[in-house]
Amino acid sequence: MTGALEVLPVPGLPEIEAGADLGALIAKAVELRPGDIVVVTSKIVSKAEGRLLRAADREAAIDAETVRVVARRGATRIVQNRQGLVMAAAGVDASNTAPGTVLLLPEDPDRSARGIRARIHELTGRRVAVLISDTFGRPWRTGQTDVAIGAAGLAVLDDHRGRTDAHGNTLAVTVTATADELAAAGDLVKGKATGTPVAVVRGLPGAVTEEDGAGARPLVRAPEDDMFRLGTSEAVREAVALRRTVREFADDPVPAEAIRRAVAAAVTAPAPHHTTPWRFVLLESPQRRLDLLDAMLAAWQRDLRELDGWDAARIARRTARGDLLRRAPALVIPCLVADGAHHYPDARRSAAEREMFAVSTGAAVQNLLVALAGEGYGTAWVSSTMFCRDVVREVLDLPADWDPMGAVAVGRPLAVPPTRPERPVDAFVAVR
């Protein structure tokens, strides 16, 4: 795809109304050549297809077109709409339309592109490609540009992977969004204010295909490949929702860096008296981990037998719950360090002081769990170390003022946890 390009506006189109034959209007307005690429603003497609909606409340129209809120800041919403596109306001447009009305995107932009292409071919006999374009903002970049939301007769992506560059290097990740580049080029000669909703890109006849092709759908990044699927607050809420207790883990190792990133989130928790009452012991030594779990098991068996009077079978059933700590790829021991706590003669105030530090440690552990969930790791926070703190301190050689506050098992979940039913907020709220 090399050579000189021309980008030509198509002037003289009438105001588009419902039922308009766009293919015929374009064919009449410009002398098309084989291999031309016709870029059509989605707004006139919407008008021709009767996608005009009388709506005094644009927000309600956006709600109706929204499948998923990606990010929200004030009144601005980035959403995934019913066409699968992620964009501002679901593509609902109140410009270039009469007051009290809004334009929705075409119901199926690829189908619209195929229809216009077929009509042009019927009337002119010329094989062209058709793109339906709309204006998008972009992550990381200021300003807007047109992109392709519908396509016919064009491979929308040009995959360079496996080719070599001028220096002989093999290209590993380069995939050019050809359709988006063409849509942006067309927008240079189109414009809302000038009333020129169609452009022709000429000079790339090799890009035009005999078949209609897969349309613009391949341009939409798959969710599993989308590292920016959510805005900040939405990502936090989703990570919190994903934070589930996982008891069966895949064998995949957990990188030490992932644990440390989660600890960095953990130590942002609120704490009393400007203290930092959290410590996290990362059991990266397999032998030290085995020694700890064996010592904890022996202590548990002894206490259940001597203090609680349990028989061997009951003890075995109870201690089997701790096997998940052996199966997990990674293990973290959160500890409370009450350095900086105030001391009171009154026992009640001293107990409250201790509780403040325990609550802070709980907040830190929650941060840890949520951060790990955000990276796709499952966790199980179990209380076992709290019942044999002296054993834990001895085996791990911890200071006497470090109080273990359970253990966190970490790993990739072996299966996707079932969806948790949404809990009604009112059941947990008291208003006075």
Side-chain angles (χ1 to χ4, degrees), residues 372-387:
L372 289 167
E375 295 201 30
Y377 295 102
T379 56
W381 183 18
V382 297
S383 61
S384 55
T385 66
M386 300 174 69
F387 292 87

Side-chain angles (χ1 to χ4, degrees), residues 71-317:
R72 184 194 305 266
R73 182 168 295 176
T76 301
R77 280 186 285 173
I78 307 298
V79 306
Q80 179 182 344
N81 64 15
R82 294 192 296 111
Q83 289 85 357
L85 303 169
V86 175
M87 59 192 308
V92 176
D93 197 349
S95 63
N96 279 326
T97 184
T101 64
V102 296
L103 276 174
L104 310 181
L105 288 179
E107 188 73 37
D108 184 342
D110 286 330
R111 183 177 63 200
S112 302
R114 292 193 296 269
I116 295 170
R117 185 188 194 221
R119 184 64 168 146
I120 290 173
H121 185 260
E122 176 188 350
L123 295 173
T124 68
R126 297 185 176 107
R127 186 70 66 189
V128 301
V130 173
L131 297 178
I132 309 298
S133 69
D134 200 74
T135 304
F136 273 50
R138 301 155 299 155
W140 314 297
R141 306 285 288 181
T142 298
Q144 297 174 312
T145 186
D146 265 27
V147 303
I149 66 170
L154 182 83
V156 297
L157 295 171
D158 188 7
D159 193 344
H160 297 266
R161 290 173 296 182
R163 305 179 195 175
T164 56
D165 62 17
H167 299 282
N169 301 309
T170 301
L171 300 176
V173 297
T174 303
V175 180
T176 301
T178 306
D180 284 347
E181 292 184 330
L182 292 166
D187 193 48
L188 293 174
V189 300
K190 295 194 285 102
K192 293 182 179 180
T194 61
T196 308
V198 178
V200 174
V201 180
R202 182 168 291 163
L204 290 175
V208 177
T209 60
E210 187 73 21
E211 301 299 324
D212 285 335
R217 183 66 57 180
L219 290 163
V220 178
R221 193 182 296 275
E224 61 271 19
D225 297 327
D226 188 354
M227 294 179 66
F228 307 96
R229 183 169 166 77
L230 296 167
T232 303
S233 61
E234 290 74 21
V236 170
R237 284 195 292 272
E238 180 156 305
V240 170
L242 288 172
R243 202 250 11 110
R244 306 290 299 279
T245 297
V246 173
R247 299 188 179 278
E248 295 295 336
F249 300 97
D251 293 332
D252 305 352
V254 179
E257 295 77 12
I259 302 288
R260 283 165 170 77
R261 286 194 296 271
V263 172
V267 298
T268 64
H273 314 318
H274 306 289
T275 60
T276 54
W278 339 274
R279 303 292 186 272
F280 294 89
V281 182
L282 314 184
L283 288 180
E284 296 179 351
S285 164
Q287 187 58 54
R288 187 64 70 94
R289 172 173 164 168
L290 182 62
D291 291 345
L292 173 65
L293 296 178
D294 286 347
M296 287 173 55
L297 176 61
W300 268 79
Q301 290 171 331
R302 182 192 65 240
D303 289 347
L304 291 173
R305 181 177 61 252
E306 297 178 1
L307 301 180
D308 299 319
W310 288 14
D311 60 31
R314 190 178 181 187
I315 291 172
R317 288 194 300 271

Side-chain angles (χ1 to χ4, degrees), residues 15 65 96 139 149 388:
E15 180 65 28
E65 293 295 300
N96 279 326
I149 66 170
C388 51

